[in-house]
Structures are given as C-alpha cells and as structure tokens.
Amino acid sequence: MKYLLFSISTILLIGIMLIPDIWAETCDFDPEQREFDIEPYYTGPLLDAHFHMPAAFAPPPVVAHELPYEIAVFDDHVSKDGLICMLDKQNIKSVIGFYPVLDNLPLDSIKDMKYFEEKHPDRVNAFLLPISISQWMKDEWPVLPGQDLEQYLEMLPFTKGYGEFAFYLEVYERQGEHLEADDPEMIETYEILEKRNMIFMSHPGNRDMPALLKMIEKYPNIIFLFHGEEIKKPQLSQILEKYTNVYYSLDYNMISNCCLHNNPQTDSKETFLPKYRDTFEQTMKDELRIWKPIIEKHPDKIMWGTDILKPWHIDEEVQPLLIEMSRSFIGGLDPAVQEKYAYKNAERMLGMVKTTQLPVDTTIPAWIYFHTWVNNLIQLLISNVIIGAATIVAAIVGIVFAVRRRSGGTKRPKPARQDLEDYEEQYLQRQGQRPRQRQGQRPRRRHAKSRPTSSSCNSCGKPLKPTVKFCGSCGTRIA
C-alpha cells in the first residue's frame, strides 16, 4: 500500500512540476482591444509577406558589427511556439519568413527551419538567406557559391524563396565597389532559382534597378518580389504593369515611415510608442492618399507585410498596435481589393512555387554537423592560442625577473628585448599565427602608417598633440 501511495504522490508531483510548462505553452486567443476607432476596419485574415525570422543565435561580432540594427533571437526574445501564438492572436494565417543562415555555422538555423515545417506546417513559408562568411573573410562578396546553395536547397526542399537580399548593406560595398545585381556571383544564384522556379526577394536601391530589370527579362521563371522605399513610385507602377513575374510588398517601413525603421530617435519601444500613437491617424490619411491609387491600379501585384525585425518589434504592446495600423489601412482600400492585398495575392504568388513538403528525408547530413563542429573547434583553438601565447610570454618574463631577483642581479644579465620577441615570434609561428611587427622592423607585406609621437611647445613646454600647428597656451607656431 505504501508503494502505491508513493507512486501516486510521485505522479502528482511530476504533474505539478509540469504545470508551468503546460501553462506557458497555452496561447491566449482573446482579441486585442483596439486603441483607435478608425472605420472602416478590416477584420479578415492576413498573410505577412515580409517577416524576418528571429535568428537561431546572436550573430558573431564580425557579422553583428556590419549590421545596421539588432536582430531578434529565438529564446532570447521569443520562443518558437510563442511566435506562432503571436500570429494566431492576430489572425495571421502565415508569414513569408526570412531565415538568416551563416555558412560556417548553419546547424541551428537548419534545425529551426525544420522545426516550423514539421511542427507548424503552412505557417512559415521558408525563404533562405545564406550569408557566406567564408567568402567574406577572403575579401570576396559574401554570396553563397552555387554548389553550396544547391546543397542547402536539396536538404531543405520546402524552401520557397531566396532573400531578403538587401543590396544596401555594407557587406555588399568593398573599396568603392558595389555588388551589382548582374555580377557573376548573382548570376550563379539566379540560374539555380530559375531552374527551381523560386522567388527572389530583394530590397534594391535606385542604382540596382537597371541591372535587376535585365535579370527580370533574362529569368522569366523567377518571381521577383521587391520592397523598399528607394524604388520611385512611377517606376514601380511601370514595372508592375510590364512584367508578369514581379510583385511588391508594402511594409511598415512605408506605412509607418515616421518611426519604425531608420530613426534613431524612436529606436526603442519607449520612444516609438508615444510618437506612433501621436501620428497614428494622420499617418493613415497620408499613406492612403499616397498608396491607395497604386494598390488599386495593380490589385493583383501588391501585398501586405510588416518588416518586423528588431526585438522590440515583437513586444506584446508594440506588435498588436502595428497590426491595428495595417487593418485600419486595409479598411480604407476598395472592398474588392482588401482581401487581395491582405493575403490572397501572397497566397497566389507562393502557389506558383512547386516545393516538396516534409516528411521527406529529414535527416540533416553529416557534413553539416562536421562543418559546424570544425568551425567551433577552430574558434576555440584560436581563442586558446591567443590566451596561451600571452600566458607563456608573461610566464617567461616572470621567470626571468624571479631568477634575476634571486641571484641578486649579478650572475645573470637581463634578457634582451630581442630574445623575448624572438621567442614570441617562434611560438606564434608554431601555432600558425602571424607574428606581430617589431619596432623598427620593415613591414613584410605592406607599409604601415607610423604612429605619431607626442611633442611639447618649445616656448612654454605645454604638451601638444602631434597634429597641431599652434600652441593653444602661448600661441607659438609649431614647425
């Protein structure tokens, strides 16, 4: 009997322990209360055609340094199931989700993509955005080589598109050059997308459009999905009119141009919400005046999206207000166009892409695990070698001083600086690292700028910066 009671108690204890997890996974479907009484108001389904999926992990410093913004990260800012709950509460049927994948650390991102495809099918239309760190470190464009892209698409057969390819990012600028939309690296990508009848989603600037128009004509089987305010509206209207394989998503960087993006004064929840609420109704009038004629002229080619990207964009107070803005905007369109813009245009475009749904062979290839393991090992070794080199050099210096002190400084002369530098150089060479340049040594590969030395005024003796021409104390001219 006591064993039975013990078993029952154990089961009850386990159940109690699981209550927080079960409670945490429960989604509250109660509708959000509207803050503004703008009528008419669209209440139907939505499909977000521009949604940046949170990253699997925070980007490494070498990548984060080049990004003009902080990105959301799964489990740091939202859970995977929490993201689906967020969509459900707003009646968002699905999203076009852009997955950032680093070619040197792809494993976690691939797992995220498979998670949504297996557990929440038809909720995230997967778009792959691979960034080639290995190419970048070789001072080449960080565009994934075609052979590698083919491997990813074979492993992720449900992928519907490539992007968002943001031509404006600094990683596509190099020594005064700009990655052009018709450069060889991009041609290799288009050839693969053309063969697979996929979508190429990009954010171009004005200077990118001539080359992109050539690609639109050259690759009619690729669906080109654009967004961004850089495309002039008359040109956009002409492109949508002329090309059947071009679509456009109108996102929050347009509808709430006041403060959601690229405005340092409102780049947080605390600074954004007051500004957004103050300008809500006027923004509605202005944006409808600008975009209503264009949307209604091209009722089958323009679609709704959010461009949600930063951690605070998915805040439980911010995101519902963004959706309220969208529904108010859609309510101001012609009723015959509202559902097309809200979700039907995106569904039709996505339906043109033929993909293989899971389950297929969902095993992640061994080379992905091996590649990730090797990169992690390399990073660990590099960090340990640097620390180890510094430790060894410091230890040698300490031993030398200890020996000298113990011997009273008479039996052993102090090692010359040259001896320590020779040792450091030999050690770093054994570890595969490039030795630092010594003082007075000629550069081995290229000339380095000499470091300016400090100086002082000949008249008053005040310390001066090397670049000054006059003494700030006595006014004496410095030669």
Side-chain angles (χ1 to χ4, degrees):
M1 183 68 180
K2 64 180 181 179
Y3 296 108
L4 178 61
L5 291 174
F6 176 77
S7 300
I8 294 173
S9 301
T10 301
I11 293 172
L12 288 174
L13 179 61
I14 293 172
I16 292 171
M17 292 173 63
L18 290 175
I19 285 176
D21 292 332
I22 296 172
W23 182 264
E25 294 176 2
T26 302
C27 184
D28 179 12
F29 290 99
D30 290 340
E32 300 285 345
Q33 294 295 320
R34 291 169 56 185
E35 291 194 28
F36 297 87
D37 295 323
I38 295 178
E39 297 293 343
Y41 187 79
Y42 176 77
T43 58
L46 295 168
L47 193 160
D48 190 343
H50 197 103
F51 190 94
H52 292 272
M53 297 296 289
F57 53 87
V62 68
V63 177
H65 177 72
E66 298 294 331
L67 295 176
Y69 39 70
E70 179 188 6
I71 61 175
V73 178
F74 275 126
D75 297 326
D76 287 351
H77 303 110
V78 66
S79 69
K80 299 179 185 65
D81 293 334
L83 187 147
I84 296 297
C85 177
M86 183 180 75
L87 302 180
D88 288 339
K89 291 179 70 172
Q90 298 296 337
N91 193 16
I92 299 174
K93 300 178 67 175
S94 66
V95 300
I96 290 178
F98 308 126
Y99 287 95
V101 179
L102 304 182
D103 70 338
N104 62 335
L105 295 169
L107 180 59
D108 291 334
S109 301
I110 291 171
K111 286 182 176 179
D112 284 355
M113 295 178 73
K114 287 182 175 287
Y115 176 88
F116 283 103
E117 188 65 20
E118 293 168 351
K119 188 169 182 180
H120 301 288
D122 302 322
R123 300 305 303 275
V124 179
N125 299 281
F127 277 48
L128 184 66
L129 178 57
I131 303 171
S132 181
I133 301 300
S134 56
Q135 296 292 105
W136 189 19
M137 297 306 288
K138 292 187 294 185
D139 201 27
E140 298 178 3
W141 298 124
V143 179
L144 195 68
Q147 182 179 359
D148 295 343
L149 178 58
E150 288 273 23
Q151 286 184 312
Y152 280 107
L153 295 178
E154 289 294 332
M155 181 177 31
L156 303 165
F158 51 85
T159 305
K160 294 192 174 183
Y162 182 102
E164 174 193 4
F165 197 92
F167 283 96
Y168 63 86
L169 289 180
E170 290 185 9
V171 295
Y172 303 123
E173 302 282 347
R174 185 180 62 203
Q175 298 176 353
E177 297 180 353
H178 173 69
L179 176 64
E180 300 292 343
D182 56 355
D183 277 349
E185 295 87 348
M186 299 304 300
I187 294 292
E188 195 173 19
T189 300
Y190 300 139
E191 294 287 346
I192 295 170
L193 301 182
E194 168 85 359
K195 181 174 61 176
R196 294 174 174 268
N197 189 33
M198 294 177 67
I199 301 170
F200 177 72
M201 196 280 139
S202 71
H203 184 153
N206 270 329
R207 63 178 172 178
D208 303 304
M209 290 312 298
L212 275 170
L213 291 178
K214 295 177 184 177
M215 299 301 99
I216 291 170
E217 294 181 351
K218 183 176 181 179
Y219 298 103
N221 289 332
I222 298 178
I223 299 169
F224 287 83
L225 174 60
F226 295 141
H227 101 131
E229 68 273 20
E230 291 87 352
I231 307 176
K232 302 301 181 183
K233 295 173 181 62
Q235 184 186 28
L236 172 64
S237 188
Q238 293 172 3
I239 293 172
L240 293 174
E241 187 77 32
K242 182 177 181 179
Y243 299 105
T244 59
N245 60 331
V246 175
Y247 289 81
Y248 186 82
S249 62
L250 179 60
D251 312 312
Y252 278 128
N253 65 331
M254 311 287 252
I255 296 178
S256 62
N257 200 40
C258 75
C259 35
L260 189 65
H261 288 282
N262 305 324
N263 191 333
Q265 295 181 351
T266 55
D267 198 17
S268 69
K269 168 187 172 180
E270 292 73 22
T271 55
F272 166 77
L273 286 175
K275 173 73 172 177
Y276 192 62
R277 287 176 170 130
D278 288 345
T279 60
F280 193 99
E281 296 190 43
Q282 187 59 47
T283 296
M284 291 306 310
K285 296 177 182 178
D286 294 341
E287 299 299 334
L288 278 172
R289 174 178 51 80
I290 295 169
W291 285 102
K292 178 179 168 70
I294 301 174
I295 295 173
E296 294 177 358
K297 182 179 180 180
H298 307 282
D300 300 319
K301 304 294 287 291
I302 302 179
M303 58 197 71
W304 170 78
T306 62
D307 202 6
I308 279 179
L309 169 67
K310 302 177 184 180
W312 61 272
H313 291 175
I314 52 179
D315 179 86
E316 61 184 7
E317 186 177 0
V318 173
Q319 191 259 357
L321 191 58
L322 299 177
I323 303 302
E324 182 176 345
M325 167 75 81
S326 290
R327 293 187 176 280
S328 300
F329 178 88
I330 297 171
L333 301 175
D334 185 328
V337 176
Q338 290 181 10
E339 287 189 336
K340 291 183 177 183
Y341 173 74
Y343 71 97
K344 287 186 175 179
N345 288 345
E347 283 187 338
R348 188 179 68 257
M349 179 190 70
L350 292 167
M352 298 176 185
V353 180
K354 296 178 177 61
T355 60
T356 303
Q357 301 296 319
L358 293 180
V360 290
D361 181 9
T362 60
T363 304
I364 298 176
W367 67 269
I368 289 290
Y369 287 97
F370 179 74
H371 195 65
T372 303
W373 179 81
V374 168
N375 276 280
N376 288 335
L377 179 61
I378 290 173
Q379 292 185 32
L380 179 64
L381 289 175
I382 290 174
S383 61
N384 285 340
V385 164
I386 294 172
I387 294 172
T391 303
I392 290 174
V393 172
I396 291 172
V397 174
I399 291 170
V400 169
F401 276 102
V403 170
R404 184 175 183 272
R405 182 175 182 179
R406 183 178 301 174
S407 61
T410 59
K411 295 182 180 180
R412 285 184 183 268
K414 178 180 178 181
R417 177 185 178 91
Q418 181 75 20
D419 296 332
L420 293 178
E421 289 184 333
D422 284 343
Y423 179 87
E424 180 187 15
E425 179 174 352
Q426 293 168 11
Y427 177 82
L428 293 175
Q429 285 177 339
R430 288 198 301 272
Q431 302 301 322
Q433 296 187 63
R434 187 168 58 193
R436 62 185 177 85
Q437 183 183 322
R438 300 178 188 172
Q439 185 176 4
Q441 182 182 23
R442 291 185 63 188
R444 297 181 179 181
R445 302 184 63 181
R446 57 189 176 192
H447 296 288
K449 295 180 179 179
S450 60
R451 183 182 298 273
T453 57
S454 61
S455 60
S456 60
C457 178
N458 293 329
S459 298
C460 66
K462 178 180 175 64
L464 301 174
K465 294 182 179 179
T467 56
V468 300
K469 296 182 179 180
F470 295 90
C471 175
S473 178
C474 65
T476 302
R477 181 179 180 84
I478 306 301

